Amino acid sequence: MNLKNKLTEQTKHYDAVVVGAGFSGLYMLHRLREAGLSVRVYEAAKGVGGVWYWNTYPGARCDTDSIYYNYTFSEELYNEWTWSERYSSQPEILRYLNYVADKFELREDIQFETRVSDAHFDNSTNQWDVNLDDGSVVTAKYFITGVGVLSTMNIPEFKGKDSFKGEAFHTADWPEKLDLKGKKVGVIGTGSSGVQSIPEIAKEAEHLTIFQRSGQFTAPANNYAYDEEDVKEIKANFKAMRRKMERTYDGIPIDRPNRSVLDHTPKERNKVFQEAWDKGGVPYLLATYSDLKTNEKSNASMAKFVSSKIYDLVKDQELADDLQPVDYFGTKRPITHIGFYDALEQDNVSFLNVTETPIEEITPKGIKTSESEHDLDIIIYATGFDAITGSLFKIDIRGKDGTSLKEKWADGEKTRTNLGLTTAGFPNMFIITGPESPSVTTNMPMAIEQHVDWIIDCINYLETNKIAAIEATVEAEDAWSTAVSDRANKTLFVKTKSWYTGGNIDGESTRFPIYLGGMPKYGEIINNIAKNGYEGFDLTYQEEPVKN
Ligand code: FAD
Ligand code: N01
């Protein structure tokens, strides 16, 4: 589609168009408005919240401590909002994001129930022509995506999928009024969404059958209600906490000793692992040693510890065999559990290891594995997401030569960015939490603030210096992508098929498109590039600067 032909004198122009109104889009809008730019945010949902708008399945909650899993750009906001528990539930996080939208009066610049379908860069005007699913077109100097890394559902193409006569849906598309009472329910998948929802589904359904492909590493949540006095103290120490978050590898301000598992005797290791296990939450296990993701032996030691915990958690040891995690600890995003293992042993719950007896097809009546047929009223796909690039690829994004982003990044091997924020051939486009940034391995609101702050500094620089367009050079992009891969190739991440690599869907990709140097190092790199007048970028001036 040639969007240029759709432009008329009435076509609305904005300085910036932002896609998405989750953590990313909301903060981006706030900063762009502060900078005095005209902005329009387009959001497919009826409200703000992103992930927390869509994922309404029972049991949905964050697994990063709530006191860190929020914005920290405003101390006033931080002081005004009080989380009720350590891992807040989806309704509470959604209320928080609505509160943010109201506090900063963001809604007036957001158009809900509107999907961006195409965005094409026009060389002649140095602007983006943006097509919306209501058929209208707008133009903008800057095109900024906050589309989310886990916002495009993955429902595997099982044979006969559409023949099922009952109700079938994905966890991120939970029906508003759903009564599970008296129903025979099947859940496919035991990632974070499955593990969180299964105990709640098991409480309601007449019978629940779980179809698990791979055993997963988990940690107990140790969730609790926050104590009023503790919260007061945390708020009083906001500045120090924020500084520590900035200086910590993943934006979660817990201490991470720089030591190898192998520096300790097995007894000492188990003590360290046990202390972290008792605290609850995956980040605490990951923080125990610095070589868990690089050293096979170190990783195996943690894997053995978690594996033994699973044998302790379930009485039925054959079930425990089936639940044993595969791959390495931490190379798939590990899972925090609340009541998962207890639910598996309820009388109304059956568990199937579909690695041994694969799902062959979905039938009109239910799910058929290679061994048995299961009559169901409801099938729930807890099968994850087309992660990182899925939502970007749903938009027809075309750069300066008409090249499509999807074609440029045709497979995981070809995903190339400069700094995870921009990509060559796509001037004035910025990607929040893009591939090759550290975002998905961090406390994401923190990563989002880091990205948005860099983008706004860049835009301020362009506006002040009368620069019409900024574009990553191919050389800088190649250097960044190579550095990202070189780092990743030294880790165990590349040996695992996960949603990080796209291997959860195609079963093949192993390139790990995430910067693993951590948030402080990443911040230093991107800020130095800004300080040096955007090295690695071509700048097109509106008027040639006067040279002395
Ligand atoms: P999203 O929240 O995904 O928002 C993107 C928005 O863009 C969506 O509302 C979508 O509708 C909209 N959109 C996409 N494409 C278009 C389009 N073409 N047109 C219009 N609108 C569009 N991270 C953590 O760090 N800690 C956690 O505890 C944690 N828990 C999570 C729990 C769940 C259930 C999930 C799914 C993810 C979790 N995450 C967690 C990761 C989460 O993705 C981020 O923390 C964060 O919410 C991402 O915010 P975002 O604004 O970048 O993206
Ligand atoms: O998705 P997943 P998710 N046949 O990809 C299985 C965040 N999040 O929605 O492991 C059979 O992890 C698949 O099996 P396998 C968090 O970042 C956070 O659960 O690929 N099974 C797996 O069991 C998380 O990592 C929270 O072998 C199939 C499951 O489906 C990310 O979102 C809560 C299959 C998918 O697991 C994604 O989590 C929810 C097939 N063809 C989400 N295809 C918190 O706790 C897939 N599976 C904060």
Side-chain angles (χ1 to χ4, degrees):
M1 185 199 310
N2 189 345
L3 295 183
K4 215 170 162 179
N5 295 339
K6 288 182 80 178
L7 303 183
T8 66
E9 280 187 5
Q10 278 72 47
T11 301
K12 287 197 179 124
H13 179 79
Y14 300 97
D15 294 325
V17 156
V18 178
V19 196
F23 269 103
S24 295
L26 292 178
Y27 182 49
M28 191 74 245
L29 167 59
H30 174 59
R31 294 297 318 267
L32 285 162
R33 281 208 323 208
E34 266 185 351
L37 273 73
S38 63
V39 195
R40 197 72 175 154
V41 177
Y42 295 103
E43 168 54 63
K46 285 185 181 154
V48 301
V51 151
W52 303 104
Y53 173 92
W54 295 110
N55 288 267
T56 57
Y57 61 82
R61 56 180 72 245
C62 59
D63 62 0
T64 308
D65 298 54
S66 303
I67 49 167
Y68 310 133
Y69 187 71
N70 48 201
Y71 291 118
T72 50
F73 68 86
S74 159
E75 186 167 359
E76 184 181 285
L77 168 65
Y78 197 82
N79 281 327
E80 280 171 9
W81 186 266
T82 299
W83 295 106
S84 65
E85 54 184 333
R86 182 179 183 194
Y87 298 115
S88 297
S89 65
Q90 173 271 332
E92 191 170 347
I93 304 173
L94 186 59
R95 275 201 301 281
Y96 168 75
L97 288 166
N98 274 284
Y99 178 81
V100 172
D102 291 337
K103 177 177 169 64
F104 297 102
E105 296 176 4
L106 300 175
R107 286 177 214 282
E108 61 204 51
D109 291 321
I110 307 174
Q111 187 169 319
F112 294 106
E113 294 185 82
T114 308
R115 187 169 276 285
V116 170
S117 52
D118 317 68
H120 297 176
F121 185 75
D122 183 339
N123 279 336
S124 63
T125 55
N126 277 324
Q127 69 184 18
W128 284 87
D129 303 335
V130 179
N131 198 31
L132 310 171
D133 64 356
D134 62 7
S136 58
V137 182
V138 297
T139 59
K141 179 170 177 186
Y142 304 110
F143 178 65
I144 305 171
T145 64
V147 293
V149 285
L150 294 160
S151 50
T152 289
M153 295 177 275
N154 166 45
I155 300 188
E157 282 305 324
F158 291 114
K159 184 178 158 204
K161 190 183 78 183
D162 298 328
S163 69
F164 182 57
K165 293 274 186 264
E167 212 173 340
F169 50 86
H170 188 275
T171 41
D173 188 23
W174 198 267
E176 221 170 287
K177 286 184 187 131
L178 180 75
D179 190 2
L180 295 171
K181 285 204 185 69
K183 298 281 167 51
K184 291 193 279 298
V185 180
V187 173
I188 305 176
T190 52
S192 298
S193 304
V195 165
Q196 283 190 331
S197 57
I198 281 167
E200 301 304 316
I201 298 166
K203 281 180 199 160
E204 299 283 317
E206 178 187 303
H207 192 87
L208 167 62
T209 310
I210 298 161
F211 299 82
Q212 175 187 274
R213 188 165 65 180
S214 323
Q216 315 265 6
F217 287 99
T218 58
N222 187 16
N223 192 24
Y224 47 76
Y226 279 130
D227 177 88
E228 223 177 286
E229 288 309 308
D230 290 347
V231 170
K232 268 193 203 148
E233 199 182 318
I234 288 159
K235 288 185 178 179
N237 289 313
F238 172 82
K239 287 193 177 67
M241 178 197 77
R242 178 62 159 78
R243 264 198 309 279
K244 190 160 180 190
M245 285 169 84
E246 273 171 11
R247 288 182 195 151
T248 312
Y249 183 86
D250 59 2
I252 304 175
I254 51 182
D255 293 328
R256 275 146 228 270
N258 188 11
R259 63 185 178 194
S260 164
V261 176
L262 308 179
D263 294 339
H264 280 168
T265 64
K267 199 173 162 197
E268 287 165 338
R269 293 170 203 171
N270 272 341
K271 185 166 173 281
V272 172
F273 292 153
Q274 186 64 49
E275 279 166 9
W277 184 265
D278 292 341
K279 281 185 190 144
V282 165
Y284 297 85
L285 282 179
L286 291 171
T288 48
Y289 293 96
S290 47
D291 64 344
L292 287 170
K293 292 182 186 157
T294 49
N295 185 317
E296 303 238 3
K297 278 193 184 153
S298 299
N299 193 287
S301 184
M302 172 66 95
K304 195 171 156 207
F305 173 82
V306 177
S307 155
S308 75
K309 290 291 177 192
I310 295 173
Y311 281 109
D312 293 346
L313 281 162
V314 289
K315 289 187 209 86
D316 176 348
Q317 295 295 289
E318 274 180 35
L319 172 62
D321 286 342
D322 279 334
L323 289 165
Q324 285 310 303
V326 292
D327 303 311
Y328 299 96
F329 173 82
T331 56
K332 272 184 177 174
R333 193 175 183 280
I335 297 166
T336 303
H337 66 84
I338 299 179
F340 173 65
Y341 296 99
D342 291 341
L344 298 184
E345 296 197 283
Q346 278 180 215
D347 290 342
N348 66 333
V349 177
S350 320
F351 179 91
L352 293 180
N353 176 339
V354 293
T355 309
E356 284 174 5
T357 56
I359 295 175
E360 284 190 336
E361 66 176 299
I362 309 286
T363 67
K365 283 171 33 186
I367 299 178
K368 185 170 173 290
T369 69
S370 60
E371 199 178 62
S372 47
E373 208 163 338
H374 303 266
D375 284 359
L376 300 167
D377 302 308
I378 297 175
I379 297 177
I380 299 171
Y381 291 97
T383 41
F385 297 89
D386 181 357
I388 306 181
T389 49
S391 291
L392 286 170
F393 288 171
K394 279 187 16 208
I395 308 174
D396 181 36
I397 303 176
R398 290 182 184 267
K400 64 178 185 193
D401 301 321
T403 310
S404 98
L405 185 71
K406 195 170 173 181
E407 278 161 24
K408 180 182 171 186
W409 289 353
D411 64 55
E413 298 302 319
K414 292 191 191 135
T415 306
R416 294 280 179 275
T417 72
N418 190 13
L419 311 176
L421 289 156
T422 61
T423 187
F426 296 77
N428 291 358
M429 172 175 160
F430 298 97
I431 311 161
I432 310 172
T433 71
E436 301 190 338
S437 75
S439 61
V440 294
T441 51
T442 68
N443 170 24
M444 288 199 66
M446 194 63 195
I448 287 166
E449 289 188 11
Q450 192 181 42
H451 294 191
V452 169
D453 290 347
W454 188 88
I455 293 168
I456 206 73
D457 286 349
C458 177
I459 288 178
N460 279 330
Y461 181 86
L462 304 182
E463 294 299 302
T464 309
N465 293 290
K466 297 199 170 17
I467 295 166
I470 184 166
E471 185 193 344
T473 66
V474 173
E475 295 73 27
E477 174 164 291
D478 283 346
W480 180 253
S481 290
T482 305
V484 167
S485 286
D486 287 350
R487 223 177 239 282
N489 290 342
K490 293 185 190 126
T491 71
L492 303 170
F493 280 111
V494 290
K495 298 191 173 179
T496 306
K497 288 169 190 161
S498 65
W499 62 253
Y500 292 135
T501 65
N504 65 325
I505 293 177
D506 66 20
E508 283 171 16
S509 316
T510 50
R511 179 168 185 260
F512 188 77
I514 297 149
Y515 174 74
L516 283 175
M519 285 183 63
K521 182 82 196 146
Y522 178 71
E524 195 185 306
I525 295 171
I526 61 176
N527 291 336
N528 278 338
I529 282 175
K531 265 190 219 135
N532 293 334
Y534 296 91
E535 267 173 355
F537 290 90
D538 285 332
L539 304 176
T540 307
Y541 285 82
Q542 284 166 14
E543 303 144 354
E544 280 303 311
V546 182
K547 292 192 181 104
N548 294 323

